[in-house]
Amino acid sequence: MAFLLEWVQQLQSYNRNIRLAIVANILTQIGLGAFMVVYNFYIRELGFSQQLNGEIIALTSLATAIILVPAGIMSDRPGRKNVMLFGVCTGGIILAVRGMVELETFLLGAGFATGIALAFFQVSIIPWLSENSLPKQRIHLFSLHSAIMMAANVIGNLLGGALTDLFSLFTNELFSIRYTLLIGSFFYFLSLVPVLRMKEKPKAKTVTNVKPDTRKFVAKNKTGIKIIVLFAVAQLIIGTGSGLVIPYLNLYFADRFGASTSLIGVIIALGQAATALAMFIGPLVVKRLGEVRAVATLQLLSLPFLLLTAYTTNLWLASIGFLFRQALMNAGNPIQSSLMMAKVDDSMKGLANSVNQMVFQLGWAFMGPISTGIVLQYGAYWGYATVFTITSILYLVGSLYFYIVFRSLK
């Protein structure tokens, strides 16, 4: 009861801007969840191979990595709300276009454009929540934000599958998927309503006729830049490990255990649900251990479950290992976000968030070919065992680095 009462009090303490941002986050994640769960099938129904799907995913990640830092800098200038508005408007339109175009060139181009558009909302939401909350609220707030993202994504996944099945009763497979994609893009675009109702605090006006001086900016913000770099190194190590296994978990369950698509979907949805629940426990862990020790402890506790998933030949043990690894490893993410937002000035929050996400995306982008190459060479058992083991080593290094660097950082 005390746990529930604490969360109720936190929710009641959030201002209108935070509540509107939560609603916008729910709508975007439902839209993306519904869209992404069936988009692979759309490519297949158009007659293209799965290789095209991989190229689209790589282009989307690359575009996001390229645009995140410029988007973060734009977000730090007056107008986070404007950056979010641009992101949800263009994102909704581009997702709708992706659900209608059929030419390979347009599919690739729209995938790249999606990575750019989605980054603008993604990079602004954390600084927006930080600026509209008190320091004592942020651990709970970022945990709630991350949990809602997971839960809304699961709802979107379920909605996407159900709508496609429903539409298939009245039309062919291609059009049933297309209608679902358009509905998903509509949900994403609908987040425009709460974003429009947000009220941004006016920022101090700057002299516009003076050209920005990079050297002066660096000299003035040495401490903030140092902190951003330290966080980025931690995220790069973790992102590199994550990029080896996370995008291919569905293939792991199919290749090693011959699991059906529906069963894989249930396992992955349960993993997201477990992660959402774990994020609510994060603030309790912070109270006992402090922010830095909490992050390192949660990440280190996930390693045995990752290794269990790597070497087991039992589907149920692999599923349990996946669920606990997913929950424990990701439970520390909102704590890290809160810690990072507390360590940098408001004028650099967007830059800090964008750099952090950029290096993580780069880890995903570059590790894909390495991961698939190892699995192709060594097979479904030793290939995945090798990849998961490398990931566990990277997670261990990243967790220890985070603890050693940030435990003494003031």
Side-chain angles (χ1 to χ4, degrees):
M1 287 301 296
F3 176 78
L4 292 174
L5 183 61
E6 181 182 1
W7 276 101
V8 169
Q9 290 172 342
Q10 282 288 328
L11 287 169
Q12 290 174 342
S13 70
Y14 297 151
N15 63 31
R16 178 182 169 84
N17 275 341
I18 291 176
R19 293 177 184 179
L20 288 170
I22 289 173
V23 174
N25 190 37
I26 290 171
L27 291 171
T28 58
Q29 291 305 313
I30 289 176
L32 286 173
F35 188 97
M36 295 303 179
V37 78
V38 297
Y39 189 73
N40 291 351
F41 302 113
Y42 178 68
I43 299 297
R44 188 181 66 186
E45 286 299 316
L46 290 176
F48 296 109
S49 67
Q50 285 299 102
Q51 184 179 354
L52 178 62
N53 240 327
E55 291 172 2
I56 292 172
I57 292 169
L59 279 173
T60 304
S61 298
L62 181 61
T64 301
I66 290 171
I67 200 63
L68 272 170
V69 171
I73 294 171
M74 289 172 62
S75 176
D76 283 333
R77 294 175 180 176
R80 290 200 202 280
K81 176 181 173 180
N82 291 334
V83 172
M84 285 190 280
L85 282 173
F86 176 78
V88 296
C89 284
T90 56
I93 293 169
I94 292 168
L95 288 175
V97 170
R98 287 181 71 178
M100 292 186 287
V101 297
E102 298 185 7
L103 292 176
E104 182 176 350
T105 306
F106 288 162
L107 290 168
L108 291 167
F112 187 84
T114 302
I116 292 175
L118 301 190
F120 283 92
F121 181 81
Q122 176 185 336
V123 82
S124 302
I125 186 72
I126 292 292
W128 177 269
L129 293 174
S130 178
E131 290 172 359
N132 285 278
S133 61
L134 300 173
K136 65 181 181 181
Q137 296 175 316
R138 286 176 192 155
I139 292 291
H140 287 80
L141 178 56
F142 290 142
S143 297
L144 178 66
H145 166 73
S146 299
I148 284 174
M149 282 183 67
M150 291 287 177
N153 206 263
V154 171
I155 292 170
N157 289 342
L158 297 174
L159 180 65
L163 286 173
T164 304
D165 289 342
L166 176 64
F167 292 137
S168 66
L169 299 174
F170 308 101
T171 184
N172 62 39
E173 191 70 18
L174 176 62
F175 278 92
S176 64
I177 295 171
R178 177 168 286 165
Y179 295 151
T180 301
L181 294 175
L182 292 175
I183 290 173
S185 64
F186 173 75
F187 267 99
Y188 192 91
F189 191 81
L190 199 59
S191 62
L192 181 68
V193 176
V195 174
L196 280 170
R197 297 178 67 185
M198 293 176 181
K199 291 186 178 178
E200 189 162 19
K201 297 174 184 177
K203 296 183 181 180
K205 293 184 178 179
T206 56
V207 181
T208 56
N209 59 349
V210 178
K211 293 182 180 179
D213 190 320
T214 305
R215 281 184 295 182
K216 285 183 179 179
F217 176 80
V218 172
K220 183 181 176 182
N221 298 282
K222 278 184 179 179
T223 302
I225 292 171
K226 176 187 173 184
I227 291 170
I228 290 172
V229 171
L230 292 175
F231 270 102
V233 172
Q235 280 296 93
L236 181 61
I237 297 169
I238 297 297
T240 301
S242 176
L244 281 168
V245 299
I246 303 304
Y248 309 102
L249 281 169
N250 54 351
L251 298 177
Y252 158 79
F253 284 110
D255 294 345
R256 181 176 288 188
F257 304 105
S260 66
T261 305
S262 57
L263 179 57
I264 293 169
V266 170
I267 293 170
I268 291 175
L270 285 173
Q272 290 177 312
T275 303
L277 290 174
M279 285 173 176
F280 284 108
I281 301 170
L284 290 177
V285 183
V286 171
K287 279 185 178 180
R288 296 196 174 205
L289 302 178
E291 290 172 312
V292 175
R293 286 180 64 192
V295 171
T297 300
L298 288 167
Q299 290 181 346
L300 290 172
L301 285 174
S302 75
L303 297 184
F305 297 101
L306 178 60
L307 291 172
L308 171 65
T309 310
Y311 290 99
T312 185
T313 55
N314 183 286
L315 175 60
W316 297 110
L317 286 177
S319 301
I320 291 168
F322 162 70
L323 293 178
F324 278 92
R325 186 227 69 89
Q326 184 91 345
L328 290 168
M329 192 68 198
N330 292 317
N333 291 343
I335 304 171
Q336 285 193 67
S337 296
S338 173
L339 184 62
M340 180 174 63
M341 291 295 104
K343 295 290 184 186
V344 298
D345 186 75
D346 282 355
S347 64
M348 300 182 73
K349 284 184 178 0
L351 177 63
N353 191 40
S354 62
V355 169
N356 231 29
Q357 294 187 40
M358 180 196 70
V359 294
F360 193 86
Q361 291 282 346
L362 287 175
W364 274 49
F366 292 128
M367 288 300 106
I370 295 173
S371 178
T372 52
I374 292 173
V375 172
L376 285 172
Q377 183 173 354
Y378 295 105
Y381 183 82
W382 286 110
Y384 285 110
T386 302
V387 167
F388 279 52
T389 303
I390 295 171
T391 296
S392 66
I393 293 170
L394 288 169
Y395 280 179
L396 175 63
V397 172
S399 302
L400 293 176
Y401 164 85
F402 185 86
Y403 178 72
I404 292 168
V405 169
F406 289 101
R407 65 178 176 173
S408 58
L409 188 65
K410 303 300 180 184

